[in-house]
Each structure stands twice: as C-alpha cells, then as structure tokens.
Amino acid sequence: MFPHCDLPPSRCQAHHILPWWAGGATDRTNLALLCPTHHALVEPRGTDGMPTRDQWHVVIDPHTHKPACIPPRE
C-alpha cells in the first residue's frame, strides 16, 4: 500500500495506524500492510515514541476508507 511498492502482501507486516499501546485496535479498520522497509519509515523514532517530522504517516482516507501514506513535512 506504500506508493510504488510492489512487494506482495504475504511479505508485508501489519502496521497499527493508531498504535496498540495507545488503544488502537488490532482489526482491519486500524491496520495497513507495509513491507519491512516502508514499515520502518512510518514507525515513531522519537525517544518518547511520538512521530518525528522526518517520517511518513499512515491515515485512513475519509473518502475511500482505505489507508493512505502521507510524506514527511519539509
């Protein structure tokens, strides 16, 4: 689901859009499949576990109800 990534779903990992430690459910409405390389790009890297400015974010598109990848702010 990451732009231009063609790794098959069987080789991807489930990513919690709202982290499980913050109450995010482990169900289809809160999960996105990401390859290991792209999964590392969206995981929080700050020491407090919060997102940093240089990482991608995954959100649910309100129109399609599907995960969408948002690039880092410049």
Side-chain angles (χ1 to χ4, degrees):
M1 75 127 258
F2 204 86
H4 309 293
C5 183
D6 60 0
L7 201 66
S10 63
R11 303 230 356 243
C12 291
Q13 303 167 340
H15 169 72
H16 286 82
I17 296 168
L18 176 63
W20 61 268
W21 52 262
T26 302
D27 63 33
R28 292 185 317 161
T29 63
N30 189 47
L31 295 173
L33 288 179
L34 298 170
C35 75
T37 299
H38 292 124
H39 198 181
L41 293 178
V42 301
E43 283 297 322
R45 289 192 293 259
T47 56
D48 59 0
M50 298 304 292
T52 60
R53 288 178 52 96
D54 65 339
Q55 76 184 81
W56 286 72
H57 300 277
V58 179
V59 298
I60 298 295
D61 183 300
H63 302 291
T64 65
H65 304 288
K66 293 182 181 182
C69 294
I70 309 297
R73 289 184 266 156
E74 294 185 21

